[in-house]
Amino acid sequence: MRRWELAIALDPGRELPLFLQLASAIADDIRSGRLKPGEPLPGSRELAAHLGLNRNTVVAGYDELVAEGLVNAKRGGGTFVAVPMPLPPQPPAAATQMPTYPLLPPLPLPATTGAPAPGTLILSNGAPDARLFPARELARAFRRAIERRGRVLITDADACGHLRLRTELAAMLARTRGLAVTPENLMVTRSIEQGIDLVARTLVLPGDTVAVEAFGYPPAWSVLRLAGAHLVPIPVDSDGMDVDALEALLEKHTLRAVFLTPHHQFPTTTVMSQARRARLAELALTRGFAIIEDDYDHEFHYEGKPILPIAAGAGRANTVYVGSLANLLAPGVSSGFIVAPPPVFVRLQSVRAASDARGDAAMECAVAELFEDGELLRHVHRMLQVYARRRDALADALTRYLGDAVTFHLPEGGMGLWARADEGINVARWSRAAEQQGVRFVDARRFDLRQQSQPFLRLCFSYHDEAELNEAVRRMAHALPHGRQIH
Amino acid sequence: MRRWELAIALDPGRELPLFLQLASAIADDIRSGRLKPGEPLPGSRELAAHLGLNRNTVVAGYDELVAEGLVNAKRGGGTFVAVPMPLPPQPPAAATQMPTYPLLPPLPLPATTGAPAPGTLILSNGAPDARLFPARELARAFRRAIERRGRVLITDADACGHLRLRTELAAMLARTRGLAVTPENLMVTRSIEQGIDLVARTLVLPGDTVAVEAFGYPPAWSVLRLAGAHLVPIPVDSDGMDVDALEALLEKHTLRAVFLTPHHQFPTTTVMSQARRARLAELALTRGFAIIEDDYDHEFHYEGKPILPIAAGAGRANTVYVGSLANLLAPGVSSGFIVAPPPVFVRLQSVRAASDARGDAAMECAVAELFEDGELLRHVHRMLQVYARRRDALADALTRYLGDAVTFHLPEGGMGLWARADEGINVARWSRAAEQQGVRFVDARRFDLRQQSQPFLRLCFSYHDEAELNEAVRRMAHALPHGRQIH
């Protein structure tokens, strides 16, 4: 112990083993510079005597430091503080990196709005209320999945998702949605967006024409276009996509696919009528195009009997079905899924294998456990009650504070309400004024394929509770242009 | 308690609250059919008296059953077993679903080999050894991430990855690999495959020409082709990609990009020389094409000084860098990353936002914690020692059991060894015979862009320990064609 004095009291009572306490103390001295690169450590026998430790404890501590790369054991004997790798030359500032090849433009997506001011109430967000998410149950299930199935679970994985979750999802989708699905033609996805993207690349070739709802979901348009699709808009009304307009389009165009959200149309929330569903299915089969059915929030239906997906009906052979439990659990949890007829599934599987070869098997098993022990079903029923109450509270507040400034139908399901602003109200300007009042909502222009100014608003009721929704609409009323304010 | 007798002894000593014990017992009776749909439950007062419970306990139990959708509370009073939704008509067998539109073929990927017979040793798998994965540390970090940051963490997410992990990764990549990277031009990906896929769609338009290594990584080829690229192969030798051949190609073709694995070339394991790197960078800048640098196992370098990526050198403005910690942690963990110059990052971000809008923020925080507490660095140093020993054990066994049947250079890094079979040995046939002997390896044909028969083998040493590797090569020797067996 000549040049260097170990500056720590080792404590046999601590939970950390003595050899790790020792390694940690030496590591601190190396990092602080008290021990210099290349400097020898005391011999293990010498240090053991000095500290009153068993020599094996010191040897184990030194081994740990070798494993951490902090010291080297020389072959001839002796342990030395490692000499760090020379630092690479300082990279130039990132800003100067301008490629010499032509850049492609970013995809057209709604501009991301900045972070809201603290206290802002958010009606623009259709995400579930994080406060209701069964986070503890999921974290517990995740830990159990790792503990029981352990390492194999994390390394072993299937591009289609863990069989345990596929089995649960297939059973649930067959039982509650009437789908022709087994674990063999169901794929678990990271997110519904990944699902739409994989399906687009499974079905679409560059130059193909794909029909979409004129009001719709911009990320879907982006990935369809990225796959090479030319998009044509079909109007939507209170019965969903206008299938007569689609039929007229078929006179002029050969369609590769139709992408739609028939259950709770996004963003207008309308439910597609049975007659239109049947006619769409017939057209798809006879004219030879695919239906991509995005059923993103199937569970959240508050009125009347459940409506079965198009994929459960006569057009099922031509329908690829995309969904997710993200709105039920949480957007970060791997719980999207695709159901496709077996002949289509072959290519789908290859696209997934190439682009993201395996899922998160541990998390998939954790979600499967929520199914198996009934937690998921209980959660569905609870959330249905919660969101139905919030929908009603939002509708009440709109009537109370905004009167005839907006008109709307109570949505049968989903997490948002679609309202029309009275003529003379500039919705974009109202939205900007509302942000100043501490409430965020977006005008409908961003959901319009043609990006035209629109007299509509989509207001989400999932993210806040009843009192917050009431306050949000009160703030909206304060932001109304003067002369239009009712209170 | 007229028609129905509750068949359970409630136990106040159990961990489950009494009202949940009660709800669970009634739920069991509903599911078993002892309680029929529409049947009334006893009044809460009556049942409380019968069971000797507080009436509030019974009310809470009934509320739970309502939440689970198993019973309905009628407005006029009284609680009734719920009448289940009518079952949808039985879907037809999946096999009959043949779409009426033309199907696209699956992507060309190596045929997935079936599950090996029990006890088979796997030399075809470059995955890390699951037994060495810090599963407990990660599961603990995941639980802590959920507990501390909770629900917000799971719902809130960023398409580029959680800032905490981006910060750690950027610091690590700048420090150890000399990259010009900040959290603002780094994206966390689910997997390295997702990274390559996103970069392909950021850079490539249909009809573009992309040069790839003639021996290379088939999933990368698939996603490049899916983005519309026409691929041309460039030979590789012991100094990596042959840049003279690339230069000759530039006389005939305009290149959009070059995709390569310069650090430990996949599958041949060679390290690209400094001279070739410099020449490639110069060509990229002057001729205006992008370099996609796949540095999939940077950490695993066992000999000599570290080699900095192309993205850290003079060609950085034209280079997009893709990597992953999957081989260090486990393939199922979200730990891939992309570093791109800011002008390229804009489109990259939009492609990610459209195709998979958010990552797994909870897992990203868990991985960040492994960085923060030093666990990751310790793990790197341990794995380096383990894999270097395994590499040497595989090489020893090849020399011992196979003699001159194969020739190879000891790889400086990576998780596999590239060997040439002596002429006269049909590698594909040898591989099939080896499977019968309980060892799996694949011939190199699957890594050849032109799918030609090849006298090469790639043997991975990461997945098994030294004794297993020795036994695997012994079995390979037994499967050698007669007359070629040495032992």
Side-chain angles (χ1 to χ4, degrees):
Chain A
M1 308 311 298
R2 291 169 298 270
R3 290 167 303 272
W4 166 72
E5 196 71 45
L6 188 63
I8 187 172
L10 301 179
D11 175 2
R14 270 178 71 197
E15 200 186 335
L16 201 66
L18 277 172
F19 79 94
L20 283 180
Q21 293 186 41
L22 176 68
S24 167
I26 298 175
D28 286 347
D29 280 358
I30 292 174
R31 290 196 193 97
S32 70
R34 290 193 66 224
L35 274 168
K36 303 273 180 292
E39 200 168 324
L41 294 188
S44 56
R45 198 182 306 270
E46 183 186 358
L47 187 58
H50 178 78
L51 295 170
L53 294 173
N54 186 305
R55 189 183 160 204
N56 287 336
T57 305
V58 176
V59 170
Y62 280 11
D63 282 351
E64 181 66 21
L65 291 166
V66 171
E68 292 183 36
L70 288 169
V71 307
N72 298 319
K74 292 264 163 82
R75 262 180 204 269
T79 306
F80 297 82
V81 178
V83 179
M85 299 292 189
L87 276 182
Q90 188 61 23
T96 64
Q97 298 178 62
M98 182 53 71
T100 65
Y101 55 82
L103 296 173
L104 301 181
L107 306 189
L109 283 174
T112 48
T113 38
T120 301
L121 296 167
I122 312 287
L123 298 180
S124 58
N125 190 346
D129 186 340
R131 296 167 295 192
L132 305 174
F133 169 64
R136 264 192 21 176
E137 288 76 2
L138 187 70
R140 217 181 287 142
F142 180 82
R143 200 189 54 208
R144 266 196 299 267
I146 298 241
E147 278 171 1
R148 285 193 200 148
R149 316 206 165 200
R151 299 152 194 280
V152 171
L153 192 59
I154 296 201
T155 53
D156 230 40
D158 186 319
C160 292
H162 197 280
L163 184 60
R164 197 171 154 202
L165 181 54
R166 279 191 284 141
T167 303
E168 290 294 334
L169 279 171
M172 185 272 276
L173 294 174
R175 195 176 61 240
T176 65
R177 308 189 193 177
L179 297 180
V181 54
T182 68
E184 282 66 48
N185 67 328
L186 180 144
M187 178 183 291
V188 179
T189 62
R190 312 271 196 174
S191 58
I192 197 160
E193 288 81 11
Q194 186 185 42
I196 299 169
D197 183 36
L198 292 170
V199 171
R201 296 200 279 173
T202 297
L203 297 177
V204 174
L205 285 183
D208 284 347
T209 299
V210 174
V212 299
E213 294 150 322
F215 276 114
Y217 186 54
W221 301 336
S222 283
V223 294
L224 285 164
R225 281 175 169 144
L226 201 54
H230 169 66
L231 303 186
V232 289
I234 308 291
V236 288
D237 60 25
S238 58
D239 280 337
M241 179 184 264
D242 180 349
V243 178
D244 286 343
L246 180 73
E247 198 168 355
L249 185 81
L250 284 165
E251 301 302 313
K252 293 177 292 179
H253 291 279
T254 302
L255 278 192
R256 179 69 193 176
V258 172
F259 174 87
L260 79 172
T261 50
H263 193 43
H264 306 129
Q265 203 273 334
F266 187 92
T268 71
T269 81
T270 61
V271 178
M272 192 178 196
S273 69
Q274 288 295 356
R276 284 190 177 175
R277 287 165 188 248
R279 182 72 188 129
L280 174 63
E282 194 186 324
L283 285 174
L285 292 173
T286 55
R287 307 295 283 268
F289 60 83
I291 298 171
I292 306 173
E293 181 175 24
D294 174 358
D295 199 9
Y296 63 101
D297 63 356
H298 187 92
E299 294 76 23
F300 298 101
H301 199 74
Y302 315 119
E303 311 285 336
K305 61 187 168 103
I307 297 135
L308 295 187
I310 295 174
R316 61 191 165 273
N318 277 39
T319 306
V320 177
Y321 182 79
V322 180
S324 163
L325 303 180
N327 281 345
L328 187 62
L329 292 173
V333 176
S334 285
S335 60
F337 46 83
I338 306 170
V339 178
V344 179
F345 202 77
V346 184
R347 177 172 163 98
L348 177 67
Q349 204 167 350
S350 74
V351 174
R352 176 67 186 268
S355 65
D356 186 23
R358 53 185 87 221
D360 181 345
M363 186 55 82
E364 287 163 9
C365 278
V367 176
E369 191 174 307
L370 296 189
F371 270 102
E372 288 159 2
D373 66 12
E375 179 60 39
L376 199 86
L377 191 65
R378 278 193 293 276
H379 188 61
V380 171
H381 286 292
R382 280 191 209 112
M383 290 304 99
L384 269 176
Q385 299 181 341
V386 168
Y387 289 135
R389 281 199 299 269
R390 291 184 178 188
R391 175 198 61 169
D392 296 345
L394 175 64
D396 286 352
L398 289 172
T399 307
R400 183 176 320 124
Y401 294 114
L402 293 174
D404 59 1
V406 298
T407 49
F408 61 90
H409 290 283
L410 201 63
E412 289 179 34
M415 305 174 106
L417 181 150
W418 183 249
R420 172 189 272 276
D422 195 27
E423 55 182 318
I425 296 180
N426 179 321
V427 179
R429 197 177 303 153
W430 185 15
S431 161
R432 286 192 297 273
E435 184 93 22
Q436 301 299 317
Q437 293 288 335
V439 56
R440 175 172 287 186
F441 70 94
V442 295
D443 67 313
R445 179 184 185 150
R446 64 167 59 202
F447 306 120
D448 175 13
L449 185 70
R450 293 182 164 148
Q451 294 285 298
Q452 287 162 349
S453 190
Q454 295 289 348
F456 298 105
L457 314 69
R458 182 177 158 86
L459 303 172
C460 298
F461 51 79
S462 52
Y463 195 68
H464 288 296
D465 67 23
E466 288 97 316
E468 291 163 337
L469 289 167
N470 187 69
E471 171 62 15
V473 178
R474 204 187 59 77
R475 294 181 188 176
M476 282 178 74
H478 277 283
L480 260 186
H482 288 296
R484 294 287 337 190
Q485 288 188 16
I486 317 189
H487 297 267
Chain B
M1 305 312 297
R2 293 167 300 267
R3 293 168 303 272
W4 165 72
E5 196 70 47
L6 188 62
I8 186 171
L10 301 179
D11 175 3
R14 268 177 72 198
E15 200 185 334
L16 200 65
L18 277 172
F19 79 95
L20 283 180
Q21 293 186 40
L22 175 67
S24 167
I26 299 175
D28 285 347
D29 280 359
I30 293 174
R31 290 197 192 97
S32 71
R34 292 192 64 223
L35 274 168
K36 303 275 180 289
E39 200 169 323
L41 294 187
S44 55
R45 197 182 307 272
E46 182 188 356
L47 187 57
H50 178 77
L51 295 171
L53 293 174
N54 187 306
R55 188 183 161 206
N56 287 336
T57 305
V58 177
V59 170
Y62 281 11
D63 282 351
E64 180 67 19
L65 291 166
V66 170
E68 292 184 36
L70 288 169
V71 307
N72 298 320
K74 292 264 163 80
R75 258 177 208 270
T79 306
F80 299 82
V81 178
V83 180
M85 300 291 189
L87 277 181
Q90 188 61 24
T96 65
Q97 298 177 65
M98 181 54 71
T100 65
Y101 54 82
L103 296 173
L104 301 181
L107 307 188
L109 283 174
T112 48
T113 39
T120 301
L121 296 167
I122 312 288
L123 298 179
S124 59
N125 190 344
D129 186 340
R131 296 169 293 192
L132 304 175
F133 170 63
R136 265 191 21 176
E137 287 78 2
L138 187 69
R140 216 180 289 143
F142 180 82
R143 200 190 53 209
R144 264 196 301 266
I146 298 239
E147 278 171 0
R148 286 195 200 146
R149 315 206 167 200
R151 299 153 192 281
V152 171
L153 193 59
I154 296 201
T155 52
D156 230 40
D158 186 320
C160 293
H162 197 282
L163 184 61
R164 197 170 153 203
L165 180 54
R166 278 190 284 142
T167 303
E168 290 294 334
L169 279 171
M172 184 270 276
L173 294 175
R175 196 176 60 240
T176 65
R177 308 188 193 178
L179 297 180
V181 55
T182 68
E184 282 66 48
N185 67 327
L186 180 143
M187 178 184 290
V188 179
T189 62
R190 312 272 197 173
S191 58
I192 197 161
E193 288 82 9
Q194 186 185 41
I196 299 170
D197 183 36
L198 291 169
V199 172
R201 297 199 280 172
T202 297
L203 297 177
V204 174
L205 285 183
D208 283 347
T209 300
V210 175
V212 298
E213 294 151 322
F215 277 113
Y217 187 53
W221 300 336
S222 284
V223 293
L224 285 164
R225 281 176 169 143
L226 200 55
H230 168 66
L231 302 186
V232 289
I234 307 292
V236 288
D237 59 26
S238 57
D239 280 337
M241 179 182 265
D242 180 350
V243 179
D244 287 342
L246 180 74
E247 197 167 355
L249 185 83
L250 284 166
E251 301 303 312
K252 293 176 292 180
H253 291 279
T254 302
L255 279 192
R256 179 69 192 172
V258 172
F259 174 88
L260 78 171
T261 51
H263 192 44
H264 307 129
Q265 203 275 333
F266 186 92
T268 69
T269 80
T270 60
V271 178
M272 191 177 196
S273 69
Q274 288 296 356
R276 285 191 176 174
R277 288 166 188 247
R279 181 72 188 130
L280 174 63
E282 193 184 327
L283 285 175
L285 292 174
T286 55
R287 307 294 283 266
F289 61 84
I291 298 172
I292 306 172
E293 180 174 24
D294 174 358
D295 200 9
Y296 63 101
D297 62 355
H298 186 92
E299 293 76 24
F300 298 102
H301 199 75
Y302 314 118
E303 310 285 335
K305 61 189 167 106
I307 296 135
L308 294 188
I310 295 173
R316 62 191 165 270
N318 275 39
T319 306
V320 177
Y321 182 79
V322 180
S324 163
L325 303 180
N327 282 344
L328 187 62
L329 292 172
V333 175
S334 285
S335 60
F337 46 82
I338 305 171
V339 178
V344 178
F345 202 77
V346 184
R347 178 172 162 98
L348 177 68
Q349 203 166 352
S350 73
V351 174
R352 175 67 187 269
S355 65
D356 187 23
R358 53 184 89 224
D360 180 346
M363 186 55 82
E364 288 162 10
C365 279
V367 176
E369 191 174 307
L370 297 188
F371 270 101
E372 289 158 2
D373 66 11
E375 180 60 40
L376 199 85
L377 191 65
R378 279 193 291 277
H379 189 60
V380 171
H381 286 293
R382 280 189 208 112
M383 290 304 99
L384 269 176
Q385 299 181 342
V386 168
Y387 289 135
R389 281 199 300 269
R390 292 184 178 187
R391 175 198 63 169
D392 295 345
L394 175 63
D396 286 352
L398 289 172
T399 307
R400 184 176 321 123
Y401 294 113
L402 293 174
D404 60 1
V406 298
T407 50
F408 61 91
H409 290 285
L410 200 64
E412 289 178 33
M415 304 173 106
L417 180 151
W418 183 250
R420 172 189 272 276
D422 196 28
E423 56 182 319
I425 297 179
N426 180 321
V427 178
R429 196 176 304 153
W430 184 15
S431 161
R432 286 193 296 275
E435 184 92 23
Q436 300 298 319
Q437 293 287 337
V439 57
R440 175 173 286 186
F441 70 93
V442 294
D443 68 312
R445 180 182 184 150
R446 64 167 58 202
F447 306 120
D448 176 12
L449 185 71
R450 294 183 165 146
Q451 294 284 299
Q452 287 163 348
S453 189
Q454 295 289 349
F456 299 104
L457 313 69
R458 182 178 158 87
L459 304 172
C460 298
F461 50 78
S462 53
Y463 196 67
H464 287 297
D465 67 22
E466 288 98 316
E468 291 163 336
L469 288 168
N470 187 69
E471 171 63 14
V473 178
R474 204 188 59 76
R475 293 180 189 177
M476 282 179 73
H478 277 284
L480 259 186
H482 288 296
R484 295 287 335 191
Q485 286 187 17
I486 317 190
H487 296 268

